[in-house]
Amino acid sequence: CIAMLPETPKEIRDAQDLGISFFAGEAEDGRLDEVLLDAFNDSLKPLYNYMDDLPALEGQPPPTLPKKIVQRTLGAISSLDLGRGCPYQCSFCTIINVQGRKSRIRNADDLELAVRENYAQGIKRFFITDDNFARNQRWEELCDRMIKMKVDEGMDIGFTIQVDTLCHKIPSFIEKATKGGARRIFIGLENINPDNLIGAKKRQNKITEYREMLQKWRAHGALTFAGYILGFPGDTKESILRDIEIIKRELPVDILEFFYLTPLPGSEDHKVLWQKGTWMDPDLNKYDLTHRVSHHPKMSDREWEEAYRAAWNAYYTPEHIRTIMRRVAATKFGMLNSITSTLLWFNTMIPLENVHPLEGGMFRLKFRRDRRSGLPIESPFVFYLRLLTELAVKGRAYWSVYRRFNAIRREVAAAPDRWSYSDVAIAPLRENELESLDLFHGTRGGEDALARRRRDDAIRATGHVSDMPEPAAAN
């Protein structure tokens, strides 16, 4: 809000009136010293604003969490950032307005220091939080250092990274990233409707590149996680479910994560609605991408919420879970156990815990005295009886799902055609597939995206603009 809005929102002013101080910006270069000294002297300012003075990252010490904290996350994964900022202009994104559009990056020595400090305490898996690691100007230097530690020194390290849908166009990027230990790849797929992507200024996403990009990651042994946004202005419940079926059939993505289109404070979408005075939910706790916080131009509030639930149910069907396992099992990289546990996780969080999988684990830790301000502390009898009952019911449900998934895994591993299995999504790209796939003919804007692709191919082939007509909406 401080980065984007012309005046301070009422919520922040109300908090300041209660004596709460705000720090806007990034804390490197010793900027927390001032805050801590002011706090010690009981002289905190209402606002510490460093938004116009973002620090360089090279040589700055990365934060290192103690092992006892990291072990409470699934897979004992720690995190680090190797760069901040993003050059793109997606209207729903806050990164470009909070971290800036100019990239600020760490060097390979910074990466190695962070990895070795964690490795020394037994932490070997890392989530690189860069919004788009593929656009880090030093990606090759960083990947080479990963390769040195993993391959040359034999360190058992692994990385999850976030990339864009054109990363496969960077020579050697996928090869070096996976060789250095990148095995889980998060991709902002966002949507398969070009009209939606253009409306959100996500022009760098080209649906005509999705299949090639996903297949290349698969060929190098990586699991792909794709974010998918529900609730663009042209969406309906029917169009959402239609598009999910196209994805299941034609795109070799492993895990699909669904999110509401949310006007996050700090995004252009939020600024536009705020300036228009459009209703947005006043409860800021709900701005987590998994709650509806605005109204949709076509769907009622109920229809939008039903579409969100229906999307999870439509993708994670028993039939498609088996298909995902078969696709992974057909590769030589031994990721079947990993995808099985991940599918179990993503299949249970919404129905059992009512939270997004990224916000939940197999059992939710609850403590009797952890209550929101103003709510009474429950009696031990009431609290623990309900907690034990809940754990028993959920434990039985988890066990049931686990047994079902494990049976599918064993069946897939023993299938006589395991290594020869193929389907539309993972079959080698065909020269004429652009003419036959629903990805290009069954979505709004798909035909225009296809026309744009043909036009670009003709320019590359001949070196000049052809007589082909300009598509109505360029992708």
Side-chain angles (χ1 to χ4, degrees):
C1 290
I2 291 169
M4 292 292 288
L5 301 183
E7 61 185 66
T8 305
K10 182 179 183 299
E11 293 87 351
I12 292 180
R13 297 198 306 271
D14 289 346
Q16 289 174 326
D17 290 342
L18 294 172
I20 295 171
S21 297
F22 287 83
F23 184 99
E26 298 172 9
E28 282 84 5
D29 280 347
R31 295 169 181 183
L32 278 184
D33 293 0
E34 178 187 6
V35 179
L36 295 174
L37 285 170
D38 287 352
F40 181 79
N41 293 318
D42 198 23
S43 59
L44 281 169
K45 300 180 179 67
L47 174 65
Y48 297 83
N49 189 354
Y50 289 99
M51 287 302 306
D52 295 329
D53 186 20
L54 299 176
L57 297 182
E58 190 169 353
Q60 297 287 354
T64 302
L65 290 171
K67 184 177 181 179
K68 65 180 181 179
I69 300 298
V70 177
Q71 284 184 322
R72 294 179 67 176
T73 65
L74 189 66
I77 299 174
S78 189
S79 62
L80 64 145
D81 65 352
L82 299 177
R84 297 177 195 162
C86 180
Y88 297 122
Q89 303 182 60
C90 309
S91 66
F92 53 78
C93 181
T94 64
I95 293 293
I96 54 178
N97 305 313
V98 176
Q99 294 188 353
R101 295 186 60 203
K102 179 181 178 181
S103 295
R104 292 165 291 123
I105 50 183
R106 301 186 190 272
N107 60 32
D109 291 338
D110 298 328
L111 164 65
E112 183 171 348
L113 174 64
V115 170
R116 291 191 184 278
E117 283 185 353
N118 281 279
Y119 201 81
Q121 57 174 338
I123 299 169
K124 304 176 182 180
R125 300 291 178 264
F126 304 90
F127 177 65
I128 297 177
T129 62
D130 298 33
D131 195 56
N132 191 348
F133 181 66
R135 301 303 152 184
N136 189 310
Q137 297 171 2
R138 289 178 172 166
W139 71 263
E140 190 163 24
E141 169 193 336
L142 295 166
C143 286
D144 285 342
R145 190 64 61 90
M146 295 176 190
I147 293 170
K148 175 180 177 294
M149 290 186 286
K150 182 175 181 64
V151 178
D152 298 345
E153 299 183 32
M155 294 174 65
D156 180 23
I157 53 177
F159 299 92
T160 299
I161 62 174
Q162 301 181 104
V163 298
D164 61 51
T165 59
L166 293 178
C167 60
H168 63 297
K169 297 291 189 180
I170 304 173
S172 302
F173 174 74
I174 290 180
E175 290 82 355
K176 287 200 169 188
T178 50
K179 187 175 181 181
R183 282 292 176 264
R184 290 172 175 252
I185 314 301
F186 182 85
I187 302 157
L189 204 68
E190 316 307 10
N191 213 260
I192 63 169
N193 282 305
D195 288 354
N196 286 342
L197 297 170
I198 292 171
K201 299 184 179 179
K202 190 84 177 182
R203 292 180 175 86
Q204 69 272 21
N205 275 28
K206 302 183 186 304
I207 65 169
T208 51
E209 300 287 347
Y210 283 2
R211 281 171 53 78
E212 182 181 353
M213 178 270 300
L214 290 167
Q215 287 205 12
K216 194 166 185 180
W217 281 115
R218 180 178 178 276
H220 287 81
L223 298 179
T224 49
F225 295 64
Y228 200 82
I229 297 175
L230 306 176
F232 285 108
D235 282 344
T236 63
K237 182 178 178 180
E238 292 73 22
S239 71
I240 287 171
L241 296 179
R242 176 204 64 201
D243 293 348
I244 291 172
E245 292 305 316
I246 292 174
I247 293 171
K248 289 162 60 176
R249 186 169 58 251
E250 298 180 357
L251 292 181
V253 63
D254 298 311
I255 300 296
L256 201 58
E257 305 178 23
F258 299 104
F259 304 96
Y260 282 100
L261 180 64
T262 302
L264 290 171
S267 69
E268 180 184 340
D269 287 350
H270 178 269
K271 181 179 180 179
V272 169
L273 294 182
W274 186 87
Q275 289 176 327
K276 290 180 177 179
T278 303
W279 180 86
M280 292 182 283
D281 198 304
D283 186 354
L284 297 180
N285 293 291
K286 295 181 179 178
Y287 285 71
D288 56 5
L289 308 182
T290 64
H291 290 82
R292 181 194 56 78
V293 297
S294 60
H295 301 310
H296 192 271
K298 287 189 175 181
M299 293 183 281
S300 68
D301 294 346
R302 180 178 178 179
E303 286 173 331
W304 195 1
E305 291 166 358
E306 288 176 350
Y308 179 77
R309 288 280 184 164
W312 287 99
N313 293 335
Y315 189 78
Y316 293 98
T317 63
E319 295 78 14
H320 192 58
I321 286 169
R322 178 179 282 101
T323 297
I324 295 170
M325 288 190 193
R326 296 218 68 185
R327 291 172 181 171
V328 173
T331 68
K332 61 182 179 181
F333 298 99
M335 300 291 282
L336 181 56
N337 288 339
S338 181
I339 192 60
T340 302
S341 61
T342 304
L343 286 167
L344 174 66
W345 171 28
F346 272 76
N347 192 65
T348 52
M349 286 303 99
I350 295 290
L352 294 184
E353 298 288 0
N354 197 32
V355 297
H356 193 279
L358 297 183
E359 296 183 345
M362 288 305 174
F363 292 100
R364 184 183 296 189
L365 300 177
K366 295 184 179 181
F367 303 94
R368 188 172 67 92
R369 295 186 178 277
D370 288 354
R371 298 285 278 173
R372 182 174 291 190
S373 177
L375 293 179
I377 303 297
E378 292 182 322
S379 74
F381 176 79
V382 172
F383 176 82
Y384 289 110
L385 178 61
R386 186 176 66 247
L387 179 61
L388 290 174
T389 302
E390 179 182 297
L391 289 176
V393 171
K394 290 181 179 178
R396 181 177 180 181
Y398 283 131
W399 177 245
S400 175
V401 177
Y402 169 78
R403 290 181 61 188
R404 186 165 68 249
F405 277 43
N406 200 39
I408 297 174
R409 181 192 61 80
R410 290 196 302 267
E411 172 194 322
V412 168
D417 63 340
R418 170 179 177 173
W419 304 109
S420 60
Y421 173 80
S422 186
D423 58 30
V424 173
I426 65 175
L429 301 176
R430 305 186 312 276
E431 186 174 342
N432 66 341
E433 73 173 23
L434 298 181
E435 309 302 328
S436 60
L437 295 177
D438 289 336
L439 179 64
F440 309 118
H441 303 284
T443 63
R444 288 179 296 102
E447 296 286 354
D448 290 334
L450 193 54
R452 181 70 174 182
R453 169 66 178 266
R454 294 192 187 104
R455 184 172 183 272
D456 290 345
D457 288 346
I459 293 172
R460 282 190 290 267
T462 63
H464 60 81
V465 178
S466 72
D467 294 330
M468 297 178 68
E470 179 72 21
N475 181 18

